[in-house]
Amino acid sequence: MSENGGTKKITLEQLQQHKDHGDLWLSIGGKVYDVSKFMDEHPGGDEVLVTEGGKDATEAFEDVGHSEDARELLGPMLVGELEGAKIAPQKPKSASVDPTAASASNPLLMFLPLVFLGLWMAYRNYAS
Ligand code: HEM
């Protein structure tokens, strides 16, 4: 059933079927959450959640600048992963084996100009 480490795949259609008070799912960051039981406790009120119900609420959620505590509340409400979500790419082509990406971010490369400077100064000393 689950192909992705036990994460259930939720289609957009399934998500859209849960948009009522008391049966409300929304998607944040490519994951689907059942907020039915949480809505009455939401400090931002239940209305905003109903507005976002059955939809991708990532932008609305991020725009508010929710705290770490708010993000931790999401965990227990997780239903699964949204299929074909914009975020959470399955496997970007370049991510498999890309040695250039690794070397480009190698912090040691930062010091390369210093090494050349050192060599040049040593050469100058030696030549004079
Ligand atoms: C299930 C997802 C959500 C959770 C767990 C959640 C949780 C929280 C929590 C804990 C707070 C208190 C402040 C904080 O700790 O950041 C808060 C505030 C707020 N939330 Fe959410 N929230 C969710 C989704 C949303 C969505 C989709 C909106 C849509 C706009 C929204 C709008 C707000 C607003 C406006 C406040 C500020 C309330 C105030 O300070 O008066 N929230 N939320």
Side-chain angles (χ1 to χ4, degrees):
M1 281 276 201
S2 50
E3 319 118 51
N4 197 10
T7 314
K8 212 165 128 190
K9 290 278 180 195
I10 311 292
T11 63
L12 196 59
E13 272 162 18
Q14 280 174 300
L15 173 65
Q16 285 164 350
Q17 278 160 15
H18 302 269
K19 53 177 188 203
D20 302 316
H21 200 288
D23 177 20
L24 199 116
W25 292 6
L26 46 80
S27 170
I28 297 170
K31 303 251 169 73
V32 176
Y33 299 96
D34 180 352
V35 298
S36 314
K37 299 210 174 76
F38 169 72
M39 12 197 341
D40 292 334
E41 298 161 33
H42 182 221
D46 58 351
E47 269 171 45
V48 285
L49 298 182
V50 174
T51 310
E52 297 302 323
K55 293 192 232 164
D56 184 348
T58 309
E59 224 177 290
F61 183 82
E62 297 300 345
D63 280 355
V64 173
H66 280 93
S67 65
E68 270 310 306
D69 286 351
R71 284 161 206 278
E72 274 167 26
L73 289 171
L74 288 174
M77 296 192 264
L78 183 70
V79 182
E81 223 166 78
L82 187 64
E83 217 167 52
K86 283 177 275 171
I87 320 127
Q90 288 278 308
K91 221 182 207 181
K93 275 177 220 143
S94 57
S96 43
V97 184
D98 192 348
T100 49
S103 61
S105 59
N106 188 338
L108 286 179
L109 284 181
M110 227 160 55
F111 297 107
L112 209 55
L114 280 181
V115 172
F116 280 118
L117 186 68
L119 284 174
W120 179 72
M121 284 173 76
Y123 170 77
R124 284 267 309 240
N125 268 342
Y126 176 77
S128 58

PDB file of all heavy atoms in Angstrom, residues 26-28 33-35 38 41-45 48-49 51-53 57-74 77, ligand 1:
ATOM      1  N   LEU A  26      -6.212  19.997   5.181  1.00  0.00           N
ATOM      2  CA  LEU A  26      -5.524  20.971   4.343  1.00  0.00           C
ATOM      3  C   LEU A  26      -4.081  20.549   4.145  1.00  0.00           C
ATOM      4  O   LEU A  26      -3.559  19.724   4.882  1.00  0.00           O
ATOM      5  CB  LEU A  26      -5.645  22.406   4.878  1.00  0.00           C
ATOM      6  CG  LEU A  26      -5.407  22.713   6.353  1.00  0.00           C
ATOM      7  CD1 LEU A  26      -3.945  22.801   6.626  1.00  0.00           C
ATOM      8  CD2 LEU A  26      -6.089  24.027   6.696  1.00  0.00           C
ATOM      9  N   SER A  27      -3.499  21.115   3.111  1.00  0.00           N
ATOM     10  CA  SER A  27      -2.147  20.710   2.765  1.00  0.00           C
ATOM     11  C   SER A  27      -1.164  21.834   3.076  1.00  0.00           C
ATOM     12  O   SER A  27      -1.414  22.996   2.767  1.00  0.00           O
ATOM     13  CB  SER A  27      -2.103  20.361   1.273  1.00  0.00           C
ATOM     14  OG  SER A  27      -0.769  20.194   0.879  1.00  0.00           O
ATOM     15  N   ILE A  28      -0.079  21.471   3.721  1.00  0.00           N
ATOM     16  CA  ILE A  28       0.999  22.431   4.003  1.00  0.00           C
ATOM     17  C   ILE A  28       2.326  21.773   3.633  1.00  0.00           C
ATOM     18  O   ILE A  28       2.633  20.685   4.117  1.00  0.00           O
ATOM     19  CB  ILE A  28       1.014  22.851   5.486  1.00  0.00           C
ATOM     20  CG1 ILE A  28      -0.294  23.575   5.849  1.00  0.00           C
ATOM     21  CG2 ILE A  28       2.197  23.766   5.782  1.00  0.00           C
ATOM     22  CD1 ILE A  28      -0.462  23.816   7.332  1.00  0.00           C
ATOM     23  N   TYR A  33      -2.887  17.419   6.259  1.00  0.00           N
ATOM     24  CA  TYR A  33      -3.196  17.353   7.684  1.00  0.00           C
ATOM     25  C   TYR A  33      -4.704  17.387   7.916  1.00  0.00           C
ATOM     26  O   TYR A  33      -5.420  18.127   7.246  1.00  0.00           O
ATOM     27  CB  TYR A  33      -2.537  18.540   8.411  1.00  0.00           C
ATOM     28  CG  TYR A  33      -1.037  18.548   8.280  1.00  0.00           C
ATOM     29  CD1 TYR A  33      -0.405  19.311   7.299  1.00  0.00           C
ATOM     30  CD2 TYR A  33      -0.250  17.773   9.121  1.00  0.00           C
ATOM     31  CE1 TYR A  33       0.980  19.308   7.159  1.00  0.00           C
ATOM     32  CE2 TYR A  33       1.131  17.761   8.988  1.00  0.00           C
ATOM     33  CZ  TYR A  33       1.732  18.538   8.012  1.00  0.00           C
ATOM     34  OH  TYR A  33       3.097  18.526   7.880  1.00  0.00           O
ATOM     35  N   ASP A  34      -5.135  16.588   8.893  1.00  0.00           N
ATOM     36  CA  ASP A  34      -6.543  16.588   9.295  1.00  0.00           C
ATOM     37  C   ASP A  34      -6.673  17.527  10.493  1.00  0.00           C
ATOM     38  O   ASP A  34      -6.269  17.193  11.602  1.00  0.00           O
ATOM     39  CB  ASP A  34      -6.948  15.157   9.685  1.00  0.00           C
ATOM     40  CG  ASP A  34      -8.395  15.090  10.123  1.00  0.00           C
ATOM     41  OD1 ASP A  34      -9.033  16.146  10.276  1.00  0.00           O
ATOM     42  OD2 ASP A  34      -8.891  13.958  10.306  1.00  0.00           O
ATOM     43  N   VAL A  35      -7.249  18.698  10.261  1.00  0.00           N
ATOM     44  CA  VAL A  35      -7.303  19.705  11.323  1.00  0.00           C
ATOM     45  C   VAL A  35      -8.673  19.760  11.995  1.00  0.00           C
ATOM     46  O   VAL A  35      -8.947  20.675  12.781  1.00  0.00           O
ATOM     47  CB  VAL A  35      -6.926  21.115  10.786  1.00  0.00           C
ATOM     48  CG1 VAL A  35      -5.517  21.108  10.260  1.00  0.00           C
ATOM     49  CG2 VAL A  35      -7.883  21.582   9.720  1.00  0.00           C
ATOM     50  N   PHE A  38      -8.634  20.196  15.639  1.00  0.00           N
ATOM     51  CA  PHE A  38      -7.811  21.315  16.097  1.00  0.00           C
ATOM     52  C   PHE A  38      -8.486  22.676  15.852  1.00  0.00           C
ATOM     53  O   PHE A  38      -8.188  23.652  16.527  1.00  0.00           O
ATOM     54  CB  PHE A  38      -6.454  21.260  15.388  1.00  0.00           C
ATOM     55  CG  PHE A  38      -5.594  22.471  15.550  1.00  0.00           C
ATOM     56  CD1 PHE A  38      -4.980  22.732  16.771  1.00  0.00           C
ATOM     57  CD2 PHE A  38      -5.416  23.362  14.504  1.00  0.00           C
ATOM     58  CE1 PHE A  38      -4.185  23.861  16.927  1.00  0.00           C
ATOM     59  CE2 PHE A  38      -4.629  24.494  14.658  1.00  0.00           C
ATOM     60  CZ  PHE A  38      -4.007  24.742  15.867  1.00  0.00           C
ATOM     61  N   GLU A  41      -9.482  25.006  18.535  1.00  0.00           N
ATOM     62  CA  GLU A  41      -8.399  25.484  19.400  1.00  0.00           C
ATOM     63  C   GLU A  41      -7.468  26.454  18.680  1.00  0.00           C
ATOM     64  O   GLU A  41      -6.591  27.045  19.286  1.00  0.00           O
ATOM     65  CB  GLU A  41      -7.543  24.308  19.879  1.00  0.00           C
ATOM     66  CG  GLU A  41      -8.286  23.287  20.703  1.00  0.00           C
ATOM     67  CD  GLU A  41      -7.553  21.958  20.743  1.00  0.00           C
ATOM     68  OE1 GLU A  41      -6.311  21.974  20.712  1.00  0.00           O
ATOM     69  OE2 GLU A  41      -8.228  20.916  20.786  1.00  0.00           O
ATOM     70  N   HIS A  42      -7.619  26.566  17.375  1.00  0.00           N
ATOM     71  CA  HIS A  42      -6.685  27.392  16.598  1.00  0.00           C
ATOM     72  C   HIS A  42      -6.731  28.851  17.056  1.00  0.00           C
ATOM     73  O   HIS A  42      -7.784  29.483  17.004  1.00  0.00           O
ATOM     74  CB  HIS A  42      -7.033  27.299  15.105  1.00  0.00           C
ATOM     75  CG  HIS A  42      -6.104  28.070  14.234  1.00  0.00           C
ATOM     76  ND1 HIS A  42      -6.526  28.811  13.154  1.00  0.00           N
ATOM     77  CD2 HIS A  42      -4.749  28.221  14.291  1.00  0.00           C
ATOM     78  CE1 HIS A  42      -5.481  29.381  12.588  1.00  0.00           C
ATOM     79  NE2 HIS A  42      -4.396  29.039  13.256  1.00  0.00           N
ATOM     80  N   PRO A  43      -5.580  29.407  17.503  1.00  0.00           N
ATOM     81  CA  PRO A  43      -5.550  30.809  17.959  1.00  0.00           C
ATOM     82  C   PRO A  43      -5.981  31.785  16.859  1.00  0.00           C
ATOM     83  O   PRO A  43      -6.454  32.881  17.145  1.00  0.00           O
ATOM     84  CB  PRO A  43      -4.091  31.023  18.343  1.00  0.00           C
ATOM     85  CG  PRO A  43      -3.532  29.657  18.581  1.00  0.00           C
ATOM     86  CD  PRO A  43      -4.273  28.750  17.652  1.00  0.00           C
ATOM     87  N   GLY A  44      -5.819  31.391  15.630  1.00  0.00           N
ATOM     88  CA  GLY A  44      -6.229  32.253  14.511  1.00  0.00           C
ATOM     89  C   GLY A  44      -7.677  32.046  14.095  1.00  0.00           C
ATOM     90  O   GLY A  44      -8.125  32.632  13.122  1.00  0.00           O
ATOM     91  N   GLY A  45      -8.392  31.228  14.842  1.00  0.00           N
ATOM     92  CA  GLY A  45      -9.816  31.007  14.558  1.00  0.00           C
ATOM     93  C   GLY A  45     -10.063  29.896  13.564  1.00  0.00           C
ATOM     94  O   GLY A  45      -9.165  29.495  12.824  1.00  0.00           O
ATOM     95  N   VAL A  48     -10.481  30.847   9.192  1.00  0.00           N
ATOM     96  CA  VAL A  48      -9.364  30.830   8.230  1.00  0.00           C
ATOM     97  C   VAL A  48      -9.070  29.407   7.781  1.00  0.00           C
ATOM     98  O   VAL A  48      -8.680  29.169   6.639  1.00  0.00           O
ATOM     99  CB  VAL A  48      -8.077  31.471   8.803  1.00  0.00           C
ATOM    100  CG1 VAL A  48      -8.187  32.966   8.848  1.00  0.00           C
ATOM    101  CG2 VAL A  48      -7.714  30.918  10.164  1.00  0.00           C
ATOM    102  N   LEU A  49      -9.261  28.465   8.692  1.00  0.00           N
ATOM    103  CA  LEU A  49      -8.985  27.069   8.350  1.00  0.00           C
ATOM    104  C   LEU A  49     -10.043  26.553   7.375  1.00  0.00           C
ATOM    105  O   LEU A  49      -9.726  25.837   6.426  1.00  0.00           O
ATOM    106  CB  LEU A  49      -8.931  26.200   9.608  1.00  0.00           C
ATOM    107  CG  LEU A  49      -7.831  26.561  10.612  1.00  0.00           C
ATOM    108  CD1 LEU A  49      -7.847  25.608  11.795  1.00  0.00           C
ATOM    109  CD2 LEU A  49      -6.456  26.536   9.950  1.00  0.00           C
ATOM    110  N   THR A  51     -11.633  28.356   5.260  1.00  0.00           N
ATOM    111  CA  THR A  51     -11.321  28.997   3.972  1.00  0.00           C
ATOM    112  C   THR A  51     -10.264  28.200   3.213  1.00  0.00           C
ATOM    113  O   THR A  51     -10.328  28.057   2.004  1.00  0.00           O
ATOM    114  CB  THR A  51     -10.776  30.431   4.197  1.00  0.00           C
ATOM    115  OG1 THR A  51     -11.660  31.111   5.065  1.00  0.00           O
ATOM    116  CG2 THR A  51     -10.643  31.186   2.901  1.00  0.00           C
ATOM    117  N   GLU A  52      -9.295  27.674   3.962  1.00  0.00           N
ATOM    118  CA  GLU A  52      -8.202  26.932   3.323  1.00  0.00           C
ATOM    119  C   GLU A  52      -8.507  25.441   3.204  1.00  0.00           C
ATOM    120  O   GLU A  52      -7.711  24.690   2.659  1.00  0.00           O
ATOM    121  CB  GLU A  52      -6.914  27.117   4.132  1.00  0.00           C
ATOM    122  CG  GLU A  52      -6.411  28.545   4.198  1.00  0.00           C
ATOM    123  CD  GLU A  52      -6.136  29.135   2.834  1.00  0.00           C
ATOM    124  OE1 GLU A  52      -5.656  28.392   1.958  1.00  0.00           O
ATOM    125  OE2 GLU A  52      -6.432  30.318   2.624  1.00  0.00           O
ATOM    126  N   GLY A  53      -9.611  25.010   3.771  1.00  0.00           N
ATOM    127  CA  GLY A  53      -9.945  23.580   3.798  1.00  0.00           C
ATOM    128  C   GLY A  53      -9.992  22.958   2.410  1.00  0.00           C
ATOM    129  O   GLY A  53     -10.509  23.547   1.472  1.00  0.00           O
ATOM    130  N   ALA A  57      -2.704  25.007   1.645  1.00  0.00           N
ATOM    131  CA  ALA A  57      -2.702  26.187   2.524  1.00  0.00           C
ATOM    132  C   ALA A  57      -1.285  26.632   2.863  1.00  0.00           C
ATOM    133  O   ALA A  57      -1.088  27.423   3.780  1.00  0.00           O
ATOM    134  CB  ALA A  57      -3.469  25.861   3.798  1.00  0.00           C
ATOM    135  N   THR A  58      -0.304  26.134   2.122  1.00  0.00           N
ATOM    136  CA  THR A  58       1.093  26.441   2.437  1.00  0.00           C
ATOM    137  C   THR A  58       1.341  27.940   2.526  1.00  0.00           C
ATOM    138  O   THR A  58       1.914  28.430   3.501  1.00  0.00           O
ATOM    139  CB  THR A  58       2.033  25.859   1.361  1.00  0.00           C
ATOM    140  OG1 THR A  58       1.709  24.485   1.164  1.00  0.00           O
ATOM    141  CG2 THR A  58       3.473  25.982   1.778  1.00  0.00           C
ATOM    142  N   GLU A  59       0.876  28.661   1.511  1.00  0.00           N
ATOM    143  CA  GLU A  59       1.147  30.095   1.457  1.00  0.00           C
ATOM    144  C   GLU A  59       0.499  30.820   2.634  1.00  0.00           C
ATOM    145  O   GLU A  59       1.142  31.621   3.309  1.00  0.00           O
ATOM    146  CB  GLU A  59       0.628  30.655   0.137  1.00  0.00           C
ATOM    147  CG  GLU A  59       1.601  31.612  -0.507  1.00  0.00           C
ATOM    148  CD  GLU A  59       1.081  32.070  -1.842  1.00  0.00           C
ATOM    149  OE1 GLU A  59       1.050  31.232  -2.765  1.00  0.00           O
ATOM    150  OE2 GLU A  59       0.685  33.254  -1.943  1.00  0.00           O
ATOM    151  N   ALA A  60      -0.775  30.498   2.879  1.00  0.00           N
ATOM    152  CA  ALA A  60      -1.503  31.137   3.984  1.00  0.00           C
ATOM    153  C   ALA A  60      -0.799  30.848   5.301  1.00  0.00           C
ATOM    154  O   ALA A  60      -0.597  31.744   6.118  1.00  0.00           O
ATOM    155  CB  ALA A  60      -2.941  30.631   4.014  1.00  0.00           C
ATOM    156  N   PHE A  61      -0.385  29.607   5.483  1.00  0.00           N
ATOM    157  CA  PHE A  61       0.271  29.191   6.721  1.00  0.00           C
ATOM    158  C   PHE A  61       1.601  29.920   6.895  1.00  0.00           C
ATOM    159  O   PHE A  61       1.912  30.426   7.974  1.00  0.00           O
ATOM    160  CB  PHE A  61       0.491  27.677   6.704  1.00  0.00           C
ATOM    161  CG  PHE A  61       1.094  27.130   7.962  1.00  0.00           C
ATOM    162  CD1 PHE A  61       0.310  26.860   9.071  1.00  0.00           C
ATOM    163  CD2 PHE A  61       2.465  26.874   8.035  1.00  0.00           C
ATOM    164  CE1 PHE A  61       0.866  26.349  10.236  1.00  0.00           C
ATOM    165  CE2 PHE A  61       3.033  26.362   9.196  1.00  0.00           C
ATOM    166  CZ  PHE A  61       2.234  26.100  10.305  1.00  0.00           C
ATOM    167  N   GLU A  62       2.380  29.999   5.819  1.00  0.00           N
ATOM    168  CA  GLU A  62       3.698  30.638   5.906  1.00  0.00           C
ATOM    169  C   GLU A  62       3.581  32.156   6.041  1.00  0.00           C
ATOM    170  O   GLU A  62       4.382  32.777   6.726  1.00  0.00           O
ATOM    171  CB  GLU A  62       4.554  30.284   4.682  1.00  0.00           C
ATOM    172  CG  GLU A  62       4.880  28.800   4.551  1.00  0.00           C
ATOM    173  CD  GLU A  62       5.661  28.226   5.728  1.00  0.00           C
ATOM    174  OE1 GLU A  62       6.203  29.009   6.530  1.00  0.00           O
ATOM    175  OE2 GLU A  62       5.692  26.989   5.864  1.00  0.00           O
ATOM    176  N   ASP A  63       2.592  32.736   5.378  1.00  0.00           N
ATOM    177  CA  ASP A  63       2.421  34.195   5.438  1.00  0.00           C
ATOM    178  C   ASP A  63       2.214  34.689   6.868  1.00  0.00           C
ATOM    179  O   ASP A  63       2.632  35.783   7.224  1.00  0.00           O
ATOM    180  CB  ASP A  63       1.214  34.628   4.587  1.00  0.00           C
ATOM    181  CG  ASP A  63       1.582  34.701   3.113  1.00  0.00           C
ATOM    182  OD1 ASP A  63       2.777  34.518   2.794  1.00  0.00           O
ATOM    183  OD2 ASP A  63       0.684  34.934   2.280  1.00  0.00           O
ATOM    184  N   VAL A  64       1.548  33.874   7.669  1.00  0.00           N
ATOM    185  CA  VAL A  64       1.266  34.266   9.050  1.00  0.00           C
ATOM    186  C   VAL A  64       2.543  34.234   9.889  1.00  0.00           C
ATOM    187  O   VAL A  64       2.652  34.918  10.903  1.00  0.00           O
ATOM    188  CB  VAL A  64       0.183  33.334   9.648  1.00  0.00           C
ATOM    189  CG1 VAL A  64      -0.017  33.595  11.119  1.00  0.00           C
ATOM    190  CG2 VAL A  64      -1.118  33.483   8.895  1.00  0.00           C
ATOM    191  N   GLY A  65       3.524  33.464   9.440  1.00  0.00           N
ATOM    192  CA  GLY A  65       4.769  33.344  10.198  1.00  0.00           C
ATOM    193  C   GLY A  65       4.558  32.543  11.459  1.00  0.00           C
ATOM    194  O   GLY A  65       4.911  32.973  12.557  1.00  0.00           O
ATOM    195  N   HIS A  66       3.938  31.386  11.300  1.00  0.00           N
ATOM    196  CA  HIS A  66       3.642  30.536  12.451  1.00  0.00           C
ATOM    197  C   HIS A  66       4.914  30.139  13.214  1.00  0.00           C
ATOM    198  O   HIS A  66       5.970  29.956  12.617  1.00  0.00           O
ATOM    199  CB  HIS A  66       2.906  29.274  11.998  1.00  0.00           C
ATOM    200  CG  HIS A  66       1.446  29.486  11.765  1.00  0.00           C
ATOM    201  ND1 HIS A  66       0.920  29.800  10.534  1.00  0.00           N
ATOM    202  CD2 HIS A  66       0.401  29.452  12.614  1.00  0.00           C
ATOM    203  CE1 HIS A  66      -0.380  29.933  10.641  1.00  0.00           C
ATOM    204  NE2 HIS A  66      -0.733  29.728  11.877  1.00  0.00           N
ATOM    205  N   SER A  67       4.747  29.967  14.524  1.00  0.00           N
ATOM    206  CA  SER A  67       5.892  29.645  15.390  1.00  0.00           C
ATOM    207  C   SER A  67       6.297  28.180  15.253  1.00  0.00           C
ATOM    208  O   SER A  67       5.591  27.393  14.629  1.00  0.00           O
ATOM    209  CB  SER A  67       5.498  29.901  16.847  1.00  0.00           C
ATOM    210  OG  SER A  67       4.480  28.995  17.213  1.00  0.00           O
ATOM    211  N   GLU A  68       7.425  27.842  15.878  1.00  0.00           N
ATOM    212  CA  GLU A  68       7.864  26.443  15.929  1.00  0.00           C
ATOM    213  C   GLU A  68       6.814  25.593  16.633  1.00  0.00           C
ATOM    214  O   GLU A  68       6.551  24.465  16.245  1.00  0.00           O
ATOM    215  CB  GLU A  68       9.190  26.330  16.686  1.00  0.00           C
ATOM    216  CG  GLU A  68      10.419  26.462  15.805  1.00  0.00           C
ATOM    217  CD  GLU A  68      10.383  25.569  14.572  1.00  0.00           C
ATOM    218  OE1 GLU A  68      10.189  24.356  14.739  1.00  0.00           O
ATOM    219  OE2 GLU A  68      10.518  26.085  13.452  1.00  0.00           O
ATOM    220  N   ASP A  69       6.218  26.159  17.687  1.00  0.00           N
ATOM    221  CA  ASP A  69       5.174  25.430  18.427  1.00  0.00           C
ATOM    222  C   ASP A  69       4.033  25.055  17.488  1.00  0.00           C
ATOM    223  O   ASP A  69       3.506  23.953  17.544  1.00  0.00           O
ATOM    224  CB  ASP A  69       4.622  26.297  19.568  1.00  0.00           C
ATOM    225  CG  ASP A  69       5.614  26.404  20.716  1.00  0.00           C
ATOM    226  OD1 ASP A  69       6.617  25.668  20.674  1.00  0.00           O
ATOM    227  OD2 ASP A  69       5.390  27.215  21.627  1.00  0.00           O
ATOM    228  N   ALA A  70       3.665  26.016  16.638  1.00  0.00           N
ATOM    229  CA  ALA A  70       2.574  25.755  15.694  1.00  0.00           C
ATOM    230  C   ALA A  70       2.949  24.617  14.756  1.00  0.00           C
ATOM    231  O   ALA A  70       2.135  23.744  14.459  1.00  0.00           O
ATOM    232  CB  ALA A  70       2.252  27.022  14.907  1.00  0.00           C
ATOM    233  N   ARG A  71       4.206  24.616  14.306  1.00  0.00           N
ATOM    234  CA  ARG A  71       4.665  23.562  13.391  1.00  0.00           C
ATOM    235  C   ARG A  71       4.672  22.200  14.078  1.00  0.00           C
ATOM    236  O   ARG A  71       4.419  21.172  13.460  1.00  0.00           O
ATOM    237  CB  ARG A  71       6.059  23.889  12.867  1.00  0.00           C
ATOM    238  CG  ARG A  71       6.022  24.960  11.806  1.00  0.00           C
ATOM    239  CD  ARG A  71       7.357  25.621  11.590  1.00  0.00           C
ATOM    240  NE  ARG A  71       7.145  26.963  11.070  1.00  0.00           N
ATOM    241  CZ  ARG A  71       6.918  27.240   9.809  1.00  0.00           C
ATOM    242  NH1 ARG A  71       6.885  26.289   8.933  1.00  0.00           N
ATOM    243  NH2 ARG A  71       6.712  28.476   9.411  1.00  0.00           N
ATOM    244  N   GLU A  72       4.989  22.224  15.379  1.00  0.00           N
ATOM    245  CA  GLU A  72       5.005  20.943  16.096  1.00  0.00           C
ATOM    246  C   GLU A  72       3.607  20.351  16.233  1.00  0.00           C
ATOM    247  O   GLU A  72       3.431  19.144  16.313  1.00  0.00           O
ATOM    248  CB  GLU A  72       5.637  21.135  17.470  1.00  0.00           C
ATOM    249  CG  GLU A  72       7.156  21.013  17.390  1.00  0.00           C
ATOM    250  CD  GLU A  72       7.861  21.493  18.641  1.00  0.00           C
ATOM    251  OE1 GLU A  72       7.248  21.459  19.723  1.00  0.00           O
ATOM    252  OE2 GLU A  72       9.024  21.921  18.524  1.00  0.00           O
ATOM    253  N   LEU A  73       2.611  21.238  16.250  1.00  0.00           N
ATOM    254  CA  LEU A  73       1.229  20.754  16.363  1.00  0.00           C
ATOM    255  C   LEU A  73       0.812  19.966  15.130  1.00  0.00           C
ATOM    256  O   LEU A  73      -0.083  19.132  15.179  1.00  0.00           O
ATOM    257  CB  LEU A  73       0.271  21.948  16.535  1.00  0.00           C
ATOM    258  CG  LEU A  73       0.326  22.687  17.869  1.00  0.00           C
ATOM    259  CD1 LEU A  73      -0.502  23.956  17.812  1.00  0.00           C
ATOM    260  CD2 LEU A  73      -0.187  21.780  18.980  1.00  0.00           C
ATOM    261  N   LEU A  74       1.473  20.268  14.019  1.00  0.00           N
ATOM    262  CA  LEU A  74       1.102  19.615  12.755  1.00  0.00           C
ATOM    263  C   LEU A  74       1.312  18.101  12.799  1.00  0.00           C
ATOM    264  O   LEU A  74       0.486  17.343  12.288  1.00  0.00           O
ATOM    265  CB  LEU A  74       1.929  20.200  11.600  1.00  0.00           C
ATOM    266  CG  LEU A  74       1.579  21.620  11.166  1.00  0.00           C
ATOM    267  CD1 LEU A  74       2.580  22.101  10.139  1.00  0.00           C
ATOM    268  CD2 LEU A  74       0.178  21.679  10.600  1.00  0.00           C
ATOM    269  N   MET A  77      -1.358  15.542  13.345  1.00  0.00           N
ATOM    270  CA  MET A  77      -2.512  15.687  12.448  1.00  0.00           C
ATOM    271  C   MET A  77      -2.230  15.158  11.039  1.00  0.00           C
ATOM    272  O   MET A  77      -3.091  15.201  10.168  1.00  0.00           O
ATOM    273  CB  MET A  77      -2.904  17.174  12.353  1.00  0.00           C
ATOM    274  CG  MET A  77      -3.386  17.751  13.664  1.00  0.00           C
ATOM    275  SD  MET A  77      -4.153  19.335  13.448  1.00  0.00           S
ATOM    276  CE  MET A  77      -2.806  20.430  13.810  1.00  0.00           C
TER     277      MET A  77
HETATM  278  C1  HEM B   1      -3.056  23.089  10.752  1.00  0.00           C
HETATM  279  C2  HEM B   1      -2.342  24.133  10.532  1.00  0.00           C
HETATM  280  C3  HEM B   1      -2.208  25.240  11.545  1.00  0.00           C
HETATM  281  C4  HEM B   1      -1.728  25.195  12.818  1.00  0.00           C
HETATM  282  C5  HEM B   1      -1.216  23.971  13.574  1.00  0.00           C
HETATM  283  C6  HEM B   1      -1.792  26.538  13.335  1.00  0.00           C
HETATM  284  C7  HEM B   1      -1.423  26.893  14.606  1.00  0.00           C
HETATM  285  C8  HEM B   1      -1.392  28.176  15.078  1.00  0.00           C
HETATM  286  C9  HEM B   1      -0.860  28.589  16.343  1.00  0.00           C
HETATM  287  C10 HEM B   1      -0.233  27.657  17.383  1.00  0.00           C
HETATM  288  C11 HEM B   1      -0.992  29.929  16.432  1.00  0.00           C
HETATM  289  C12 HEM B   1      -0.521  30.839  17.593  1.00  0.00           C
HETATM  290  C13 HEM B   1       0.690  31.640  17.151  1.00  0.00           C
HETATM  291  C14 HEM B   1       1.876  30.751  16.831  1.00  0.00           C
HETATM  292  O1  HEM B   1       2.265  29.930  17.665  1.00  0.00           O
HETATM  293  O2  HEM B   1       2.405  30.886  15.701  1.00  0.00           O
HETATM  294  C15 HEM B   1      -1.638  30.374  15.224  1.00  0.00           C
HETATM  295  C16 HEM B   1      -1.962  31.665  14.934  1.00  0.00           C
HETATM  296  C17 HEM B   1      -2.546  32.096  13.764  1.00  0.00           C
HETATM  297  N1  HEM B   1      -2.873  31.318  12.677  1.00  0.00           N
HETATM  298 FE1  HEM B   1      -2.598  29.329  12.525  1.00  0.00          FE
HETATM  299  N2  HEM B   1      -2.291  27.370  12.371  1.00  0.00           N
HETATM  300  C18 HEM B   1      -2.555  26.607  11.257  1.00  0.00           C
HETATM  301  C19 HEM B   1      -3.039  27.022  10.068  1.00  0.00           C
HETATM  302  C20 HEM B   1      -3.371  28.315   9.751  1.00  0.00           C
HETATM  303  C21 HEM B   1      -3.847  28.754   8.466  1.00  0.00           C
HETATM  304  C22 HEM B   1      -4.037  27.877   7.222  1.00  0.00           C
HETATM  305  C23 HEM B   1      -4.069  30.071   8.563  1.00  0.00           C
HETATM  306  C24 HEM B   1      -4.585  30.892   7.433  1.00  0.00           C
HETATM  307  C25 HEM B   1      -4.414  32.113   7.230  1.00  0.00           C
HETATM  308  C26 HEM B   1      -3.736  30.487   9.921  1.00  0.00           C
HETATM  309  C27 HEM B   1      -3.824  31.742  10.462  1.00  0.00           C
HETATM  310  C28 HEM B   1      -3.421  32.127  11.707  1.00  0.00           C
HETATM  311  C29 HEM B   1      -3.468  33.494  12.195  1.00  0.00           C
HETATM  312  C30 HEM B   1      -4.026  34.708  11.463  1.00  0.00           C
HETATM  313  C31 HEM B   1      -2.915  33.467  13.482  1.00  0.00           C
HETATM  314  C32 HEM B   1      -2.674  34.672  14.398  1.00  0.00           C
HETATM  315  C33 HEM B   1      -3.740  34.765  15.431  1.00  0.00           C
HETATM  316  C34 HEM B   1      -3.470  35.946  16.344  1.00  0.00           C
HETATM  317  O3  HEM B   1      -2.326  36.117  16.770  1.00  0.00           O
HETATM  318  O4  HEM B   1      -4.417  36.655  16.622  1.00  0.00           O
HETATM  319  N3  HEM B   1      -3.308  29.374  10.616  1.00  0.00           N
HETATM  320  N4  HEM B   1      -1.866  29.298  14.408  1.00  0.00           N
END
